[in-house]
Amino acid sequence: MIQQANFDWLLKDLAEGVPQTRHVVVLSSDGLCMAQYGTERDTAERLAAACAGLQSLAAAVAAEVPHSDGRMRMVVIEITGGFFYLMAAGERAYLAVLADEGVDAGLMGLRMRDLVARIGEHLSTPRRNDEQRA
């Protein structure tokens, strides 16, 4: 997996390339923060933990769609004051962005897809086995 220092400039590029971006977080499917930009570590860890539940819920909904492979690609939530984006970004890894309500939603989706395409293979997290959890 790619290290935090290698992520910094890529996450900064996304955040600064899309006006109104507030937080950018890369997380594993089990809710561990792998990297963040524009946010404090505690906030990034809370967002990552919440995203783990959200991606699981989205996958459960996707499993009910005929001809779906059951995998979540992207979730967008409009909240008072802004938008939240969660995108699959490799095997068991996700990219999450919190943005103000003035964000260009199309540009955000495009830039997130570009970032995932550029570094998606580096975002993958290895599957954990029972020995690693102990």
Side-chain angles (χ1 to χ4, degrees), residues 9 18 21 23 35 43 51 53 56 64 73-74 81 90 96 119 127-128:
W9 71 272
V18 182
T21 300
H23 305 294
T43 301
C51 289
S56 179
E64 299 303 319
R73 287 192 219 161
M74 183 173 201
I119 62 171
R127 189 175 300 277
R128 294 177 184 224

Side-chain angles (χ1 to χ4, degrees), residues 16-120:
E16 293 181 355
V18 182
Q20 308 296 319
T21 300
R22 186 168 295 278
H23 305 294
V24 180
V25 178
V26 176
L27 61 131
S28 64
S29 61
D30 54 359
L32 298 176
C33 179
M34 296 164 40
Q36 83 272 352
Y37 181 82
T39 187
E40 294 180 11
R41 187 70 182 182
D42 288 345
T43 301
E45 288 176 356
R46 284 193 306 275
L47 284 171
C51 289
L54 183 57
Q55 64 85 17
S56 179
L57 178 62
V61 171
E64 299 303 319
V65 175
H67 310 293
S68 171
D69 61 6
R71 294 185 298 173
M72 184 278 293
R73 287 192 219 161
M74 183 173 201
V75 173
V76 179
I77 301 174
E78 183 176 2
I79 53 179
T80 302
F83 292 89
F84 174 76
Y85 301 86
L86 179 63
M87 180 179 281
E91 190 70 25
R92 294 176 299 283
Y94 298 87
L95 175 61
V97 176
L98 196 57
D100 294 333
E101 65 184 340
V103 71
D104 180 332
L107 179 60
M108 179 61 77
L110 178 65
R111 295 297 298 268
M112 288 178 72
R113 282 185 181 91
D114 288 348
L115 176 59
V116 167
R118 286 171 45 202
I119 62 171

